[in-house]
Amino acid sequence: MSEPKSPTPTPAGDTYKGWLFKWTNYIKGYQRRWFVLSNGLLSYYRTQAEMGHTCRGTINLATANIAVEDSCNFVISNGGAQTYHLKASSEVERQRWITALELAKAKAVHNQAESDDSGDECPTSPPTSGQGGGARNSNSEVQSTLRTLGSKVEDLSTCNDLIAKHGSALQRSLSELEGVRLGGDTEGKIRQVTERATLFRITSNAMINACRDFLALAQAHSKRWQKALSSERDQRIRLEETLEQLAKQHNHLERAFRGATVLPSSQSNPALDSKSSGSAKGDASDEDDENEFFDAMEDPAEFITVPADPKYHRRSGSNASGFSTETGMDDQSLCDEQSLGSNPESPQSLEVEPVRKRRTKIPDKPNYSLNLWSIMKNCIGKELSKIPMPVNFNEPISMLQRLSEDLEYYELLDKGAKCQSSLEQLCYVAAFTVSSYSTTVHRTGKPFNPLLGETYELDRLRECGYRSLCEQVSHHPPAAAHHAISERGWTLRQEISLASKFRGKYLSIMPLGTIHCIFDKSNNHYSWKKVTTTVHNIIVGKLWIDQSGEIDVVNHRTGDRCHLKFAPYSYFSRDVARKVTGVVTDKDGKAHYVLSGTWDEKIEFSRVMQSNKGENGTEGKQKTVYQTLKAKELWRKNPLPEGAETMYYFSSLALTLNEPEEGVAPTDSRRRPDQQLMEAGRWDEANAEKQRLEEKQRSVRREREREAQRAAGPPVEAPEGAEEAEEAGSHQDNYQALWFERVSNHITGESVHVYKGGYWEAKDHGNWDMCPEIY
């Protein structure tokens, strides 16, 4: 879902509209709603189209209380009957809403006071527009209230005089009447009236004295309240003026920066251009960093980030602290990023022959219904690879192709290869590890289990500068080896084995194995492992996927480390879903960068200028407070192609993975018949073909085991449980991978499969005689 645009007020300034996220319940969490602020009333609708006929709720701001919870959240309540928990998409948008709501509330209170006191002659100045309109409006309200109170005090004083005057006259008249001698009954009644008149005067005097004391106390306190209100109003005006000034400066600097960097090449010296552009970028980034306060990131559980002191932004090049050196590296890396697409050696600039046009669409997914629970209810606790699954729950690509999808955001490694700083390079590698999960957010289909010896090549040498090869090197447990190399100076290799358990309500998939990335220029060697993938709502409900766990990306040459945490989703958490946080530290444990974002949308990084231990958190753990510069975007997910919901939610790269190509090996996943039949929508034929291939693989395996036994001599009596061991340990069946060989990794100590070469040479010569027949 794309970010909603910030709401903008109408030209009249009386109405404010825009999207906000409203808390609904612990099941659905925050839901996006369309809010309209008009005439002191805040109303919301599910969509803009509902404004004409269906209002979901309205709250009167005249009696409402507005409270701010954190950088993006705020609450509006009218005393318990109605409470709205709202979230804006950013802190700036939240501040705009708060300002609009406060002004609307003040105006509503003022209008209500005018309506209640319509008989009083208390002229008020009309509200004015502009920056000081709210302040003048509040000032006129205070003056009007004071004039009203003064008028009421004069009325009470007049009433006091009148009561005293008429009370005295009444008492005199009664005294004169008492002197007149009348009958006994008349005298008794007169005496009773006199007593009552006296009591009335005493009570009236007591009431008047109490009113006078109350008014005196109110006037004494109103001065202090008026002073506090004036101070708060002045502070709010200063903050609004500062915000507007910073926004203008930010826009001005962006325009100046763009104008300064776009210069004719014929009017400049390349050496001078690189130096001047570097300084210009440094100045622009320094000024932008001062605006960090208004673009704060959400605080992760382990640490808190706050804007750095502005003094860090203006350090000179001779500063001995070392910050200026790292800032220079940032500027250099930015130059490298901008020049990446214009590199004369890059494939984009070589137009000797046109690049192959890849397909952008596959046949729509058929609407076949099948009860997953009926198939899996007897498989609880078993390995996923041992469950016979029909293609109805698959997607038309193999696990080898899913593994190749990790390279969708290869540009991150290209940029990392051009970094001068190993710490900044580590940020790009960490973003690359997160980006590999972005394709899984809607992909609930299970990829095909590759057959033993199956391969998959992804040759993007002309388009993107890299090519990769995967091979299924083990069947039980399933394990695939992957090797990718780029002309931009990096190599990626991994061997991934899946361990999975079906627990009834959910399915857990635990990738085993280590991923390695080596950069040629710096010889930096990074390694990390994958987190756990969980598929929820297996029994009932809509399937959804979550990633959870922790990843340590380690630079084995320098000792630098990036600790990433994938927060598991919880119905009872108000935190952003699919959140990822991380800290980049050097070998001494000093933090240099903070990463934050989500694994399905984007990752940003901020330079740490200072860190210190803060107060204990809710769980008694001490949080670290990092003072950071403005966050910069490292990675953002590419939008899905049009109609992706009917094409298994494939990305643009995934749509091309199963496209037939000439010259690939006979064992390539593109040649797998059941997979091609499923993509074409012929699922019944695909299920029959899948059973044929699996039975053929079992026959080949049994024949290979018999040959191994004949070579080893007479059989030994099988111990108890040998059949189970045979099923679980078929990776010990003397199978030799064709393009990979097993070696011991000198860094992790693991025995892994590493590419031994020969595949691309065999492709160039069209010699596939060594490939087994698996289809």
Side-chain angles (χ1 to χ4, degrees):
M1 180 179 63
S2 60
E3 283 291 328
K5 295 183 179 179
S6 300
T8 56
T10 60
D14 296 328
T15 304
Y16 206 89
K17 304 177 182 179
W19 290 104
L20 286 172
F21 293 92
K22 179 181 179 295
W23 176 260
T24 55
N25 51 54
Y26 285 108
I27 302 299
K28 295 183 179 180
Y30 282 97
Q31 296 293 324
R32 197 170 74 142
R33 297 291 183 260
W34 180 257
F35 280 80
V36 178
L37 174 60
S38 179
N39 297 326
L41 300 176
L42 180 65
S43 306
Y44 76 94
Y45 312 82
R46 285 190 177 178
T47 61
Q48 300 182 44
E50 284 189 350
M51 290 179 59
H53 53 85
T54 305
C55 178
R56 300 292 174 174
T58 301
I59 191 169
N60 189 354
L61 294 179
T63 59
N65 180 40
I66 304 172
V68 177
E69 287 189 337
D70 55 24
S71 60
C72 295
N73 293 53
F74 58 99
V75 179
I76 303 176
S77 175
N78 62 357
Q82 288 178 296
T83 301
Y84 294 167
H85 293 270
L86 306 176
K87 179 195 287 187
S89 60
S90 65
E91 186 176 4
V92 175
E93 183 179 342
R94 187 220 64 188
Q95 186 59 39
R96 291 172 181 165
W97 273 104
I98 292 296
T99 303
L101 291 169
E102 292 288 357
L103 293 177
K105 178 182 177 181
K107 187 174 181 180
V109 172
H110 172 64
N111 292 338
Q112 185 175 0
E114 282 187 338
S115 176
D116 294 340
D117 302 330
S118 57
D120 299 330
E121 296 180 358
C122 301
T124 59
S125 59
T128 57
S129 59
Q131 180 63 31
R136 286 192 289 271
N137 191 17
S138 300
N139 188 34
S140 65
E141 293 173 7
V142 173
Q143 296 300 329
S144 174
T145 304
L146 291 177
R147 285 194 296 269
T148 303
L149 288 176
S151 175
K152 296 301 180 182
V153 170
E154 292 177 0
D155 293 344
L156 286 174
S157 180
T158 302
C159 291
N160 181 30
D161 296 339
L162 291 175
I163 289 175
K165 178 180 178 180
H166 294 304
S168 299
L170 176 61
Q171 194 166 9
R172 284 197 304 272
S173 298
L174 291 174
S175 298
E176 293 174 356
L177 183 61
E178 188 178 0
V180 179
R181 296 298 179 182
L182 298 174
D185 294 340
T186 305
E187 291 180 358
K189 291 181 179 180
I190 292 175
R191 187 179 301 107
Q192 186 179 8
V193 171
T194 303
E195 292 176 354
R196 291 178 178 178
T198 303
L199 291 174
F200 167 74
R201 183 178 181 182
I202 293 173
T203 305
S204 299
N205 288 336
M207 184 270 295
I208 293 171
N209 292 333
C211 290
R212 185 183 296 110
D213 294 341
F214 171 77
L215 290 174
L217 185 63
Q219 288 174 349
H221 283 79
S222 66
K223 294 180 180 179
R224 183 167 64 253
W225 293 339
Q226 184 177 0
K227 184 178 180 180
L229 178 62
S230 177
S231 175
E232 292 291 337
R233 184 174 61 250
D234 294 341
Q235 184 177 3
R236 188 189 69 181
I237 293 174
R238 286 195 298 269
L239 287 175
E240 290 177 353
E241 292 175 348
T242 302
L243 178 60
E244 183 179 5
Q245 184 180 4
L246 287 174
K248 291 179 179 179
Q249 291 179 357
H250 181 73
N251 293 333
H252 174 72
L253 286 172
E254 283 187 345
R255 290 193 300 269
F257 175 72
R258 287 193 295 266
T261 54
V262 181
L263 295 175
S265 58
S266 59
Q267 299 178 2
S268 59
N269 187 346
L272 296 177
D273 284 348
S274 60
K275 185 181 296 185
S276 61
S277 64
S279 62
K281 290 177 181 179
D283 295 340
S285 62
D286 290 346
E287 290 295 333
D288 287 344
D289 289 340
E290 294 182 6
N291 298 336
E292 163 66 11
F293 178 80
F294 301 101
D295 194 19
M297 297 182 299
E298 293 193 24
D299 297 334
E302 300 85 356
F303 55 85
I304 302 173
T305 58
V306 297
D309 195 305
K311 66 183 180 180
Y312 290 120
H313 303 259
R314 298 186 176 90
R315 292 181 182 265
S316 63
S318 59
N319 193 327
S321 66
F323 292 132
S324 59
T325 303
E326 295 185 1
T327 304
M329 293 178 182
D330 268 353
D331 297 339
Q332 180 64 38
S333 67
L334 291 176
C335 294
D336 291 343
E337 290 180 28
Q338 293 181 354
S339 63
L340 187 62
S342 59
N343 187 348
E345 298 179 359
S346 63
Q348 289 84 348
S349 61
L350 296 177
E351 299 183 357
V352 178
E353 54 181 319
V355 177
R356 173 179 176 178
K357 185 177 181 180
R358 306 285 178 177
R359 68 179 183 181
T360 59
K361 188 174 179 60
I362 62 174
D364 291 345
K365 177 181 178 181
N367 187 17
Y368 286 106
S369 61
L370 188 63
N371 188 357
L372 177 63
W373 179 244
S374 65
I375 297 175
M376 303 188 67
K377 62 184 178 181
N378 298 322
C379 305
I380 297 178
K382 294 184 179 180
E383 285 284 344
L384 179 63
S385 59
K386 296 181 181 180
I387 301 176
M389 298 286 290
V391 300
N392 302 56
F393 303 111
N394 284 19
E395 56 183 12
I397 60 175
S398 71
M399 190 62 199
L400 302 181
Q401 292 165 311
R402 282 290 290 267
L403 202 60
S404 301
E405 276 192 81
D406 288 355
L407 298 170
E408 179 167 0
Y409 298 95
Y410 68 94
E411 300 97 336
L412 292 170
L413 298 181
D414 290 348
K415 295 175 182 178
K418 301 175 75 67
C419 288
Q420 302 295 326
S421 167
S422 61
L423 291 168
E424 186 178 349
Q425 186 180 72
L426 180 54
C427 292
Y428 282 104
V429 176
F432 176 78
T433 67
V434 176
S435 69
S436 62
Y437 298 99
S438 63
T439 60
T440 66
V441 62
H442 299 298
R443 302 270 289 277
T444 56
K446 172 183 173 293
F448 280 79
N449 287 334
L451 303 175
L452 190 61
E454 186 174 331
T455 61
Y456 181 76
E457 69 165 69
L458 184 62
D459 191 351
R460 294 292 190 271
L461 200 61
R462 290 171 51 203
E463 298 99 323
C464 308
Y466 74 87
R467 58 186 181 183
S468 76
L469 176 66
C470 293
E471 182 179 359
Q472 187 77 359
V473 294
S474 174
H475 186 59
H476 283 301
H482 181 209
H483 182 271
I485 188 169
S486 171
E487 292 181 337
R488 308 284 172 79
W490 54 265
T491 302
L492 184 76
R493 65 172 184 260
Q494 57 183 320
E495 180 178 348
I496 299 298
S497 175
L498 297 180
S500 56
K501 287 294 182 181
F502 175 52
R503 302 299 184 185
K505 292 184 179 180
Y506 62 90
L507 176 70
S508 296
I509 303 171
M510 293 78 69
L512 307 176
T514 305
I515 306 172
H516 299 265
C517 183
I518 303 98
F519 290 94
D520 300 340
K521 184 177 180 180
S522 60
N523 202 29
N524 287 330
H525 186 154
Y526 300 90
S527 69
W528 65 92
K529 296 178 181 292
K530 288 181 174 287
V531 295
T532 299
T533 300
T534 306
V535 184
H536 294 269
N537 290 347
I538 296 294
I539 297 179
V540 64
K542 184 179 180 181
L543 294 176
W544 60 279
I545 291 179
D546 193 23
Q547 313 286 348
S548 60
E550 299 181 1
I551 295 178
D552 280 317
V553 185
V554 182
N555 185 342
H556 296 281
R557 188 182 71 84
T558 63
D560 303 335
R561 181 183 300 266
C562 177
H563 181 74
L564 294 170
K565 181 176 181 180
F566 290 67
Y569 179 79
S570 172
Y571 287 132
F572 305 100
S573 174
R574 293 190 177 182
D575 208 347
V576 60
R578 308 178 186 94
K579 186 174 184 179
V580 179
T581 57
V583 180
V584 175
T585 58
D586 58 21
K587 63 179 179 180
D588 299 322
K590 179 182 177 182
H592 291 264
Y593 291 97
V594 170
L595 280 70
S596 181
T598 57
W599 54 263
D600 68 324
E601 184 179 358
K602 67 176 181 178
I603 290 293
E604 295 178 338
F605 76 126
S606 306
R607 179 182 295 281
V608 176
M609 307 310 295
Q610 189 174 354
S611 63
N612 59 294
K613 295 293 183 181
E615 299 179 356
N616 290 339
T618 56
E619 299 179 358
K621 297 180 180 180
Q622 198 173 35
K623 294 183 179 180
T624 303
V625 180
Y626 294 120
Q627 293 186 6
T628 63
L629 301 184
K630 183 181 179 181
K632 300 178 181 178
E633 188 173 275
L634 270 174
W635 161 79
R636 178 177 291 273
K637 180 184 177 182
N638 297 328
L640 290 175
E642 184 178 357
E645 62 276 3
T646 63
M647 298 185 294
Y648 308 90
Y649 286 98
F650 278 1
S651 64
S652 298
L653 175 62
L655 290 175
T656 67
L657 295 180
N658 211 35
E659 185 177 9
E661 291 189 19
E662 296 182 359
V664 298
T667 55
D668 196 272
S669 298
R670 299 176 180 87
R671 300 182 182 273
R672 183 164 176 166
D674 55 349
Q675 192 170 294
Q676 292 291 342
L677 288 170
M678 182 195 175
E679 183 183 282
R682 299 155 61 182
W683 285 14
D684 293 336
E685 299 176 51
N687 275 317
E689 189 65 22
K690 180 173 181 290
Q691 293 179 5
R692 183 189 70 81
L693 291 176
E694 290 173 348
E695 182 57 37
K696 180 179 180 180
Q697 181 175 234
R698 296 188 191 100
S699 300
V700 172
R701 175 190 166 197
R702 287 192 292 266
E703 180 63 27
R704 187 168 57 249
E705 290 173 349
R706 284 194 293 267
E707 291 180 358
Q709 289 178 359
R710 286 195 296 268
V716 182
E717 182 178 357
E720 184 178 356
E723 293 182 0
E724 289 80 0
E726 180 183 356
E727 285 294 325
S730 61
H731 60 285
Q732 302 174 355
D733 58 358
N734 297 326
Y735 174 78
Q736 298 293 330
L738 188 58
W739 309 110
F740 290 80
E741 59 182 351
R742 183 177 292 275
V743 298
S744 177
N745 188 283
H746 67 282
I747 293 178
T748 62
E750 300 173 328
S751 178
V752 296
H753 284 84
V754 177
Y755 178 62
K756 63 181 180 181
Y759 178 87
W760 303 107
E761 292 77 7
K763 181 181 179 181
D764 292 339
H765 295 88
N767 183 13
W768 302 115
D769 296 338
M770 73 290 294
C771 293
E773 182 183 351
I774 61 175
Y775 300 140

